[in-house]
Amino acid sequence: MPAPSPSSTKPSSQPTGAEARRVWEAGEAARGQRPESALRLFGKALRRDRWALASGIFLLLVALASLVAPWISPYGPNEANPVLRLGGIGTPGHLLGLDQQGRDMLTRLLWGGRVALPMAFIPVAAATVVSLLLGMVAGYYRRGIGELVMRLLDILYAFPAVLLAIAIAGILGPGMTNVMISIFIVLLPYMTRVVYTSTLTVAEEDFVAAARSSGAGDASILLREILPNVTAPMIVYATLSLGLQVVFAAGLSFLGLGVQPPTADWGVMTSDGRSVLALAPHVSMVPGVLLLLVALSFNLLGDGLRDALDPKLRV
């Protein structure tokens, strides 16, 4: 069949000179732009959430202040001045006042972060790693080992978290290590269920079926296909859990099941102030307000991470 002659084509189908130039300029502009990486998109989305950004900065400052407490603290954590005991906020030389033994509140807050933050962070990090392993295996191998893992964890899941933590801490005895063990055990079934549910969804996706049909082994599918897709919800859940676990660990210390006096800890400080609540409410109020701000900041940061890591919410 002969090709159509130039005279047989419609003149209206040909772009004008101005239209052709606009198309050329658009192509040149697009050619000069590089697609943004996922990390850059995440950073831009997180910076747009001012509450999450402010919360992250506040938590970073609290962690850094606690880390360098031995060098910036004006006094020792157990150094007492009985003459100024129960001095209120704004006492000369003691910005946040003194407790019932004459110890500087600001100093004990700084040193208390060296206990309170690790007691929450270490068990949450450990539970996250173990939950990723158990949840992915249980979700990928639904029958047999998957059913066994989830039914065993359901035994722990059946108990209220607070009562289970108190029971474990009571059996193990008071101490920082025992508090972390109790928090780890309490978190494990909740975190594993998050990973398990995400794995069930991801395992049905087409890219997993394509990897399986191309001959990829189970280990390769779990590490290369499923793990990257279940990590984001776990990061969000772990961040949200950190605020709760800070309060949780302080609560166990408040009940006498955690860190013991005279160690500086936010829960211990709040408990110590009960006996002088009417005379000097700042002894309990100052660490209580700090606990509230830290827990709130972790929640706001977790919400911001959820929005930044989810492409649908990010758009």
Side-chain angles (χ1 to χ4, degrees):
M1 182 176 180
S5 61
S7 60
S8 64
T9 59
K10 296 182 180 181
S12 59
S13 63
Q14 298 293 331
T16 64
E19 293 175 345
R21 182 174 181 82
R22 283 197 297 270
V23 171
W24 178 82
E25 291 176 349
E28 288 297 314
R31 198 174 295 115
Q33 295 178 354
R34 294 182 179 180
E36 294 183 301
S37 64
L39 183 60
R40 185 177 180 84
L41 290 174
F42 166 76
K44 291 175 63 175
L46 189 60
R47 286 195 298 270
R48 283 196 296 266
D49 192 334
R50 296 182 179 180
W51 285 107
L53 186 60
S55 299
I57 294 174
F58 172 75
L59 292 172
L60 181 61
L61 291 176
V62 171
L64 288 176
S66 301
L67 185 64
V68 298
W71 296 276
I72 66 173
S73 298
Y75 307 95
N78 295 316
E79 182 180 344
N81 186 353
V83 177
L84 298 177
R85 60 187 299 270
L86 297 181
I89 296 176
T91 300
H94 304 276
L95 181 63
L96 298 180
L98 301 93
D99 63 8
Q100 66 272 32
Q101 298 183 24
R103 297 173 297 190
D104 183 65
M105 293 290 297
L106 177 58
T107 298
R108 289 183 63 79
L109 282 180
L110 293 173
W111 281 83
R114 298 170 64 88
V115 176
L117 295 179
M119 274 201 303
F121 180 79
I122 293 176
V124 169
T128 299
V129 174
V130 177
S131 297
L132 282 171
L133 175 61
L134 294 179
M136 286 194 304
V137 170
Y140 190 75
Y141 301 104
R142 304 179 193 178
R143 308 297 179 186
I145 186 173
E147 288 290 333
L148 177 62
V149 169
M150 295 310 297
R151 296 298 77 79
L152 290 175
L153 291 176
D154 282 344
I155 298 175
L156 298 176
Y157 195 79
F159 293 95
V162 175
L163 296 180
L164 182 60
I166 291 175
I168 296 173
I171 294 172
L172 297 178
M176 182 177 176
T177 302
N178 294 339
V179 169
M180 291 190 290
I181 293 174
S182 64
I183 292 177
F184 168 79
I185 295 175
V186 169
L187 280 176
L188 197 58
Y190 293 90
M191 287 189 162
T192 302
R193 187 165 291 275
V194 172
V195 181
Y196 174 76
T197 304
S198 300
T199 303
L200 290 179
T201 303
V202 174
E204 299 296 329
E205 297 292 341
D206 293 338
F207 61 85
V208 175
R212 188 181 296 111
S213 62
S214 65
D218 291 346
S220 176
I221 292 175
L222 286 171
L223 294 177
R224 296 184 178 181
E225 309 296 338
I226 294 180
L227 179 60
N229 289 280
V230 302
T231 301
M234 271 304 296
I235 292 175
V236 174
Y237 189 86
T239 305
L240 292 171
S241 297
L242 278 170
L244 178 61
Q245 303 316 314
V246 169
V247 178
F248 214 64
L252 291 176
S253 297
F254 183 88
L255 296 174
L257 298 173
V259 178
Q260 299 298 298
T263 303
D265 174 70
W266 298 340
V268 172
M269 294 173 65
T270 306
S271 178
D272 288 344
R274 289 181 299 170
S275 59
V276 293
L277 194 58
L279 296 175
H282 70 279
V283 178
S284 286
M285 183 186 69
V286 170
V289 170
L290 182 59
L291 282 169
L292 173 64
L293 292 177
V294 169
L296 179 62
S297 297
F298 273 120
N299 287 337
L300 292 175
L301 180 60
D303 288 339
L305 289 176
R306 180 196 59 194
D307 297 343
L309 289 172
D310 191 331
K312 297 178 181 179
L313 296 176
R314 188 166 60 209
V315 173

